[in-house]
Amino acid sequence: MLEQQLVNGLTLGLIYALIAVGYTMVYGVIELINFAHGEVYMFGAFLCMTFLTVFGAPLIVAVLLSMACCALMGVLLDVVAYRPLRNAPRLAALITAIGMSIFLQNLAMIIWGSRPLPFVKEALPAFFKVTALSFGDVNISWMQMTIYIVAISLMILLNVIITKTRTGTAMRALAQNRVCASLMGINVNRVIAFTFALGSGLGAMAGIMVSMFYNTMYPTMGYNAGVKAFAAAVLGGIGSVPGAMFGGVVLGIAETLGAGYVSSPYRDGVAYAIMILVIILRPSGLLGRAVTEKA
Amino acid sequence: MLGKGLKFFGTACLMGLLLAAVPALADDVIKIAVPSPYTGSAAGFGENVKAGVTLKVEEINAAGGIGGKKVEAVYLDEQCEPREAATVSTKIANDKAIVGIVGHLCSSAHLAALPTYVREGIAAISPTATSVTITDKNKDAKGNVWSFRNVYRDDFQGKFLAQYVDKVMGLKKIAVFYENNDYGIGLKDAFVKEAKTLGLTIVGEEAYMKGAQDFNPQLTKMKGGAPEALFIAGYYPEGALIVDQAKKIGLDVPKFGADGFDNADYIKLAGDAADGLYLTAPFLAETAGPDAKKFIETFKARFGRDVDWMSANAYDATGMLADAIAKVGADRAKIRDYLAGINTADKGYKGITGVNYFDQNGDCLKPAYVKTVKGNAFVPAPKQMD
């Protein structure tokens, strides 16, 4: 049973991780907690479903289109809601973020209705239902394998982008000191937009995989996932990309074990208790570096 | 430029005032309040109630209204949140044009709003709130009941299901899942209590929160106890995920639920795991009379989906309220007295869900029907219980 719970926890954790990197990257670059990120994740699922049903697109095309749309949505979010407040106190941007989150939730409700919708089953390959690996009592389905493979490869790709490309270098420079970076000739707004696009695209992928895995999507699904992913980002050390990945996996497993062995009504409580403990004992998070507050 | 802007602003303000004044001036409408969740995670249910009320109100108005006055339903959103419901209830009580209430949908919200209705003296008929606690809190100091419902209580449903599992299905080892709110806990408590009296074994009680998506940890744990059936005290969106995930981990046993499952969307969400669910419902289309058959057809044509019991109950609750207004006039206290007077089957309101009448606590006495899911459709269970 423990092994099966670990498999369940890893699935959940990798999804949290995918959402959490979006939070952490934005925080790293502009020190904003983008509370509307959960809604981008929700839009990812709904847009993919729409491309599949309304336009009859093949699965891969629908997924890529949805990711692209959400990346664009992330950029728009920055341009509309955050850029005008770039030099305002941080609290102002935080409140706008919450406002955007509520706005997007209601927008989705107007477009797709408030009833929960199933994923388009016909679009999924048949082998998704089949068990991929099984050791004794432990079963891993192909759907779960797909989540593992997609999430891990996307995160490897993200690391390559951040460490090896020019834009990635610019992102890291911005995270260290925005003013200095702009003096060095970096187009700050463009790099921030790129960060939003990258994080939103990954968030969309997480939303699509969740709605496939559980066969359901609803307009308020972003809230819970968003809060959990935020907790994961804090757990790993907000601002740190490997930290967000690690935090997501730890949170997913802790939650699953908490529900399986401690008490199911307290599953979220267990997850948050761990987060609070980490913050008390290691304020910079599990993988975060203790840096002095920027001027 | 500025002058022009001001003029425009002034005109807009005036027009707004005029528009706002129109309903206030027109005293040829009778207003009823329909507080339910229309946004938030329970909005899907609110839509069902709204659909039922809409059909009844349109029907009444098409027939000339009540005493020549049109009926207007005021839909107030409380998101199924007790806090919002308390705010909305004050708004309703203060609007003297409103004479009666159809709502609330959720038990938690209804309980939060109830003190206002009792204090201010306005009668509410809930088509859906099933919590037992409502019975203890719906009377004023003189013992007058202000909250009625045309749906049975959780303890009745829970007990009924335990007996059905034991006597009709002959299953002995049951795992229990419940949603952590008034509805889920009430249902679970009644089920477990009766199950223990009947000598059934409960192999696990697991809770979940509304909106939860992942039930694998709890299911994996329950599977260890080898249950013969799964009782799910909650609503269909989470319920559909539970049965789907149970099937995926190889826990393919009969499932039991209550009225929270009675929605065509359950089958869409649960897919091929939907079959083998038994549920209680206060409304069974197959045993319904000609009026109900007509309602079912109208509903489908109008909303493009199958009718659910919430819409049917809301349709009848609106009908009862309209009946009361027609008999005693648009007076809050008199409407209450009239509703409290419908206390035997003979005096009952003959609606599409059967005969509706209330006991001295404002609770209804309705039979429960058992439905099951077979071949991706809701059908009456092969054996009903007397």
Side-chain angles (χ1 to χ4, degrees):
Chain A
M1 178 175 138
L2 175 67
E3 295 83 355
Q4 184 69 52
Q5 298 288 29
L6 287 174
V7 168
N8 297 339
L10 187 63
T11 317
L12 207 59
L14 282 171
I15 286 169
Y16 287 158
L18 264 189
I19 318 171
V21 290
Y23 270 107
T24 227
M25 281 196 297
V26 167
Y27 185 85
V29 174
I30 56 171
E31 282 161 37
L32 165 77
I33 294 164
N34 177 16
F35 273 115
H37 191 55
E39 273 58 51
V40 175
Y41 150 95
M42 173 266 295
F43 263 84
F46 275 101
L47 285 173
C48 181
M49 185 264 305
T50 309
F51 289 132
L52 286 171
T53 50
V54 180
F55 304 110
L59 184 63
I60 302 281
V61 178
V63 169
L64 292 177
L65 265 178
S66 160
M67 282 174 83
C69 286
C70 284
L72 195 70
M73 199 172 135
V75 175
L76 247 138
L77 208 60
D78 175 47
V79 172
V80 173
Y82 307 140
R83 191 174 291 179
L85 295 168
R86 197 81 87 211
N87 296 316
R90 260 192 246 169
L91 195 61
L94 190 72
I95 292 166
T96 328
I98 295 170
M100 285 312 286
S101 153
I102 297 170
F103 167 73
L104 289 174
Q105 230 177 65
N106 286 289
L107 183 68
M109 227 174 258
I110 291 168
I111 303 176
W112 292 287
S114 50
R115 317 164 78 82
L117 296 174
F119 197 81
V120 195
K121 278 235 173 88
E122 299 72 35
L124 294 181
F127 70 85
F128 265 23
K129 278 194 196 155
V130 182
T131 305
L133 292 169
S134 121
F135 319 90
D137 275 348
V138 185
N139 293 308
I140 306 175
S141 67
W142 273 113
M143 181 73 234
Q144 278 172 311
M145 285 298 268
T146 313
I147 292 177
Y148 296 166
I149 294 166
V150 170
I152 292 170
S153 18
L154 280 178
M155 283 188 266
I156 293 172
L157 184 71
L158 177 70
N159 263 328
V160 171
I161 293 175
I162 291 176
T163 52
K164 297 277 159 28
T165 65
R166 275 177 71 87
T167 323
T169 314
M171 274 168 69
R172 283 181 294 143
L174 227 65
Q176 285 195 358
N177 191 320
R178 203 196 305 164
V179 180
C180 253
S182 70
L183 290 175
M184 293 298 125
I186 292 174
N187 183 336
V188 174
N189 278 340
R190 192 185 296 165
V191 175
I192 293 173
F194 181 74
T195 312
F196 268 95
L198 208 56
S200 301
L202 296 181
M205 190 68 221
I208 295 167
M209 289 197 299
V210 160
S211 58
M212 275 181 193
F213 186 47
Y214 298 128
N215 188 39
T216 184
M217 59 185 92
Y218 49 95
T220 47
M221 70 193 261
Y223 178 77
N224 256 337
V227 172
K228 283 284 172 55
F230 171 60
V234 172
L235 185 63
I238 188 134
S240 150
V241 173
M245 297 172 187
F246 186 61
V249 173
V250 169
L251 197 75
I253 290 176
E255 193 186 315
T256 309
L257 294 184
Y261 292 98
V262 187
S263 164
S264 52
Y266 292 109
R267 75 181 288 171
D268 294 353
V270 170
Y272 292 122
I274 290 176
M275 186 189 91
I276 293 168
L277 266 180
V278 169
I279 294 176
I280 292 172
L281 300 174
R282 230 189 109 78
S284 52
L286 290 174
L287 296 190
R289 262 173 302 151
V291 276
T292 44
E293 187 78 352
K294 270 175 271 181
Chain B
M1 189 62 205
L2 186 70
K4 220 175 189 179
L6 265 179
K7 215 183 229 169
F8 176 75
F9 181 70
T11 324
C13 279
L14 254 176
M15 284 192 39
L17 272 176
L18 278 175
L19 279 176
V22 168
L25 286 175
D27 52 7
D28 54 341
V29 291
I30 293 171
K31 278 201 208 171
I32 58 170
V34 190
S36 273
Y38 302 115
T39 64
S41 54
F45 296 113
E47 245 181 78
N48 295 339
V49 165
K50 192 175 183 175
V53 175
T54 309
L55 279 188
K56 189 76 206 181
V57 167
E58 280 174 2
E59 199 179 280
I60 294 168
N61 287 340
I66 302 175
K69 291 182 182 178
K70 292 262 186 265
V71 177
E72 186 193 327
V74 186
Y75 300 98
L76 295 134
D77 183 20
E78 34 83 328
Q79 304 176 353
C80 191
E81 292 277 350
R83 198 183 51 235
E84 298 289 329
T87 316
V88 161
S89 66
T90 315
K91 212 168 150 188
I92 292 172
N94 289 341
D95 186 347
K96 297 298 174 211
I98 293 175
V99 295
I101 300 159
V102 175
H104 295 232
L105 196 153
C106 301
S107 292
S108 312
H110 195 74
L111 280 166
L114 207 45
T116 316
Y117 301 152
V118 171
R119 195 178 57 239
E120 302 287 333
I122 181 165
I125 308 176
S126 174
T128 51
T130 47
S131 166
V132 177
T133 326
I134 294 171
T135 306
D136 310 323
K137 303 212 165 145
N138 60 4
K139 291 169 206 75
D140 62 16
K142 288 182 215 132
N144 288 330
V145 174
W146 289 94
S147 160
F148 303 87
R149 47 181 154 183
N150 63 341
V151 63
Y152 41 57
R153 301 192 335 175
D154 289 333
D155 54 348
F156 171 76
Q157 267 192 106
K159 202 173 155 188
F160 182 93
L161 274 163
Q163 286 172 352
Y164 193 85
V165 168
D166 180 47
K167 300 209 171 94
V168 179
M169 304 290 292
L171 301 166
K172 300 294 171 202
K173 281 171 84 178
I174 324 289
V176 179
F177 249 116
Y178 64 98
E179 186 167 316
N180 214 350
N181 64 10
D182 288 330
Y183 174 68
I185 294 170
L187 206 51
K188 181 235 5 169
D189 285 348
F191 180 88
V192 170
K193 194 176 156 210
E194 182 69 12
K196 285 191 176 144
T197 338
L198 294 169
L200 304 178
T201 318
I202 303 293
V203 295
E205 281 179 41
E206 299 290 337
Y208 62 87
M209 304 301 286
K210 182 169 256 347
Q213 284 191 309
D214 182 56
F215 302 94
N216 284 311
Q218 295 100 313
L219 285 165
T220 307
K221 189 174 161 190
M222 278 175 174
K223 201 184 164 192
E228 293 170 347
L230 208 55
F231 176 64
I232 307 164
Y235 298 99
Y236 76 90
E238 293 83 10
L241 299 185
I242 294 175
V243 304
D244 180 43
Q245 288 169 28
K247 190 175 179 184
K248 277 187 187 139
I249 68 159
L251 191 62
D252 206 0
V253 293
K255 281 87 60 173
F256 292 88
D259 49 14
F261 270 92
D262 193 11
N263 195 304
D265 284 351
Y266 161 74
I267 294 170
K268 272 198 243 157
L269 292 172
D272 48 11
D275 278 20
L277 170 82
Y278 293 82
L279 67 153
T280 44
F283 175 68
L284 194 62
E286 284 74 8
T287 61
D291 278 356
K293 294 253 155 54
K294 198 180 134 233
F295 168 74
I296 293 165
E297 279 164 29
T298 322
F299 190 95
K300 187 148 196 178
R302 174 77 193 272
F303 300 105
R305 60 171 194 266
D306 283 327
V307 76
D308 54 279
W309 70 270
M310 286 192 173
S311 303
N313 264 14
Y315 180 84
D316 272 359
T318 315
M320 281 183 98
L321 188 58
D323 241 28
I325 301 168
K327 297 269 163 55
V328 298
D331 180 287
R332 286 181 178 183
K334 282 186 194 154
I335 290 170
R336 188 221 77 88
D337 294 343
Y338 178 83
L339 289 173
I342 312 179
N343 51 13
T344 63
D346 307 333
K347 294 186 212 158
Y349 171 84
K350 283 159 199 71
I352 53 162
T353 62
V355 181
N356 294 272
Y357 60 101
F358 308 114
D359 66 7
Q360 72 276 16
N361 294 316
D363 291 329
C364 86
L365 305 153
K366 263 187 187 174
Y369 297 101
V370 182
K371 299 210 271 186
T372 182
V373 180
K374 208 172 176 188
N376 277 335
F378 282 107
V379 293
K383 267 178 92 178
Q384 300 289 335
M385 206 165 57
D386 306 316

